[in-house]
Amino acid sequence: MVTETPTLVAHSTTTSEPGLFSVAVQQFEIAADVLGLEDSMRRILSHCQRELTVNFPVEMDDGSVQIFTGHRVQHNTGPGPSKGGIRYHQNVSLSEVKALAMWMTWKCAVVELPFGGAKGGVTVNPKLLSQNELQNLTRRYTADISMMIGPNKDIPAPDVNTNPQIMAWLMDTYSMTVGYSVPGVVTGKPLALGGSPGRNEATGRGCVYAIQEAARVRNLNLSSSRTIVQGFGNAGSIAARLMDELGSKVVAVSDSRGGTYNPNGLDLAAVSLHKSRTGSVTGYSEGHDVSNEAILELPCDILIPAALEGQIGGYNAARIQASIIAEAANGPTSPEADAILFDKGVFVLPDIFANAGGVTVSYFEWVQAMQWFPWTLDQVNDRLRQVMSKSFHAVYGISEQHKVHMRTAALVRAIDRVADFTRLRGIYP
Ligand code: NAD
């Protein structure tokens, strides 16, 4: 049983912490207030359980040696092994990885997976590395965080700029150190290595299942709707394609260089072809180029931020025209923007729910790996739809009951669940 004790150290909740983690803690506090969470539980859940920073050498193709910095953070391991992707990006920081790890805890809890939350990242622009350097970096980073990961401890997956090949190198490196194949140590693997059918599409697909549920309660007909997607990568391009298949007109998409807009709808196959030829969706002949800031404010019904965090803030939230925002990306909206959007009547499907399809099918992949028993694509997609639909209605019910927006409602559901685990287990020793 967790009881109240006087604070002996300076570790109260950490809203003073700089960077993205302070946003995650702010969101946590809002939901903790709605729940009436006791102070001791706030203190526990507003901290990350384990934080590892590694500075490691990689031999480059020209024979020089570079030092890279990476992190692996476990926010909570109460409900089971922790789970969370690995990001390669030049802006990766410990604060960002901690925020993403905390959101993973809530995400797993919202959709009732038996996992805690974790995240990893390396501060690097992988586009500047050769395949050989990328492999060296991945293998050395894996070796350096190997004391934290394992199929029953902490299971990585892809995130921004990491992909099935990188997961294969991670699985191989870990397996070589223990002496046998361990497919359960990582998810998002190539199919031939025990990856799950449907995993590559799962984040975009789960996001679209969430949008379908939201459209029903908002009486929005998707077949006559317009969609905008910021970030045409794994999550965004698949969400765009599936929205298009549902009859929604995808009028704008973007990537790190900018976006392309056509109010009559984009031919997504042609945009993808243009991107594979030129490296970007910008310059597409049937669209007008738009900036990544402007794309968010164009007329549409559904806006899918699927790039990076920090895209919608107090400075631009009032100008957003969408009636539904589905956060395929993690952390695109600030708490200030949440309040503005709620007042405007915009229905936000928060990241910890809207992009939970990825971790849900990662969970399915892990179950298949642990049992050495593969499922079919139909089994995966059917179960994914059930998970997204059930969680949507649970979160929507909380938002109606407490008259709060969907982010706070999702956090209330998640924090309540993790707090329950924590109370039942008690504090060791
Ligand atoms: P990705 O690397 O495949 O794609 C990211 C896309 O965003 C790329 O097209 C890139 O060009 C674009 N981009 C980068 N900076 C941008 C900017 N400033 N403005 C607009 N576009 C920009 O990554 P992903 O796996 O699709 O992840 C995208 C988001 O989804 C991230 O926030 C990630 O955490 C989240 N997410 C991914 C998964 C998953 O399974 N892949 C699961 C849950 C959440």
Side-chain angles (χ1 to χ4, degrees):
M1 182 71 192
V2 177
T3 53
E4 292 302 310
T5 50
T7 308
L8 300 174
V9 288
H11 287 208
S12 58
T13 47
T14 51
T15 31
S16 60
E17 174 135 2
L20 197 63
F21 189 60
S22 72
V23 173
V25 174
Q26 247 177 291
Q27 294 169 346
F28 165 79
E29 292 287 357
I30 293 168
D33 285 346
V34 174
L35 266 173
L37 203 67
E38 65 273 27
D39 283 351
S40 55
M41 193 60 69
R42 285 178 194 242
R43 253 174 254 145
I44 294 169
L45 298 184
S46 63
H47 286 82
C48 292
Q49 211 176 306
R50 294 192 187 104
E51 301 168 18
L52 175 67
T53 295
V54 292
N55 299 303
F56 58 94
V58 176
E59 191 170 339
M60 312 303 280
D61 291 347
D62 65 3
S64 68
V65 173
Q66 300 273 354
I67 300 291
F68 292 90
T69 299
H71 311 277
R72 185 74 189 169
V73 172
Q74 296 168 351
H75 169 256
N76 192 287
T77 58
S82 49
K83 187 88 191 74
I86 289 175
R87 174 175 292 198
Y88 289 171
H89 196 274
Q90 55 276 22
N91 295 342
V92 161
S93 66
L94 181 59
S95 174
E96 178 187 68
V97 176
K98 285 171 65 176
L100 292 163
M102 181 188 258
W103 286 329
M104 281 306 297
T105 301
W106 311 143
K107 193 178 300 184
C108 292
V110 168
V111 291
E112 300 185 317
L113 304 182
F115 288 142
K119 202 77 181 187
V122 178
T123 312
V124 59
N125 180 353
K127 291 174 189 158
L128 302 180
L129 300 183
S130 69
Q131 275 295 97
N132 181 52
E133 290 165 341
L134 194 60
Q135 177 170 181
N136 289 346
L137 177 134
T138 300
R139 288 188 181 278
R140 181 58 192 251
Y141 168 68
T142 304
D144 276 5
I145 63 163
S146 63
M147 78 275 274
M148 274 177 88
I149 62 173
N152 294 306
K153 283 162 73 176
D154 179 9
I155 306 138
D159 190 71
V160 174
N161 291 329
T162 55
N163 57 28
Q165 175 60 72
I166 291 172
M167 299 305 112
W169 292 327
L170 191 155
M171 180 253 184
D172 183 67
T173 304
Y174 183 87
S175 299
M176 293 311 287
T177 60
V178 295
Y180 53 91
S181 288
V182 189
V185 69
V186 65
T187 58
K189 298 179 293 294
L191 273 180
L193 271 189
S196 177
R199 172 61 187 91
N200 200 41
E201 294 201 327
T203 304
R205 184 175 288 281
C207 185
V208 170
Y209 288 164
I211 291 168
Q212 285 181 288
E213 297 294 344
R216 261 178 226 122
V217 302
R218 300 283 291 200
N219 291 320
L220 176 70
N221 183 358
L222 288 182
S223 60
S224 57
S225 68
R226 291 158 305 167
T227 296
I228 289 178
V229 180
Q230 185 203 43
F232 201 59
N234 172 292
S237 67
I238 287 160
R241 176 169 61 76
L242 296 175
M243 288 305 292
D244 182 67
E245 282 174 20
L246 289 174
S248 183
K249 204 183 276 179
V250 180
V251 293
V253 299
S254 70
D255 57 37
S256 56
R257 290 197 220 159
T260 182
Y261 173 53
N262 183 336
N264 298 318
L266 295 164
D267 176 345
L268 292 176
V271 174
S272 295
L273 190 65
H274 174 79
K275 184 172 164 68
S276 64
R277 281 190 187 139
T278 65
S280 174
V281 300
T282 56
Y284 171 58
S285 58
E286 304 299 312
H288 313 286
D289 282 1
V290 281
S291 70
N292 265 311
E293 294 75 45
I295 199 173
L296 300 169
E297 300 172 18
L298 293 170
C300 68
D301 303 291
I302 295 141
L303 174 63
I304 306 180
L308 294 172
E309 53 273 357
Q311 301 299 309
I312 306 174
Y315 57 93
N316 63 353
R319 292 194 297 273
I320 283 181
Q321 302 189 48
S323 61
I324 294 176
I325 298 178
E327 296 181 340
N330 285 307
T333 311
S334 74
E336 193 187 352
D338 268 335
I340 296 169
L341 294 167
F342 189 54
D343 286 345
K344 259 171 71 97
V346 181
F347 194 77
V348 177
L349 291 164
D351 46 8
I352 59 166
F353 165 66
N355 69 39
V359 72
T360 300
V361 177
S362 271
Y363 166 63
F364 297 162
E365 180 177 330
W366 177 76
V367 169
Q368 294 170 71
M370 298 304 270
Q371 300 182 336
W372 301 89
F373 188 75
W375 303 0
T376 65
L377 179 60
D378 283 348
Q379 283 174 312
V380 168
N381 287 345
D382 285 352
R383 286 174 179 158
L384 174 60
R385 190 186 277 283
Q386 282 170 32
V387 167
M388 295 307 291
S389 172
K390 180 181 171 197
S391 306
F392 174 85
H393 290 287
V395 173
Y396 186 60
I398 295 170
S399 82
E400 293 279 283
Q401 184 194 342
H402 292 285
K403 302 282 172 258
V404 292
H405 52 63
M406 289 286 280
R407 185 179 326 278
T408 298
L411 283 166
V412 163
R413 172 170 161 85
I415 294 167
D416 200 22
R417 194 172 150 84
V418 179
D420 254 357
F421 272 108
T422 313
R423 280 189 210 99
L424 286 165
R425 285 183 58 158
I427 294 177
Y428 179 84

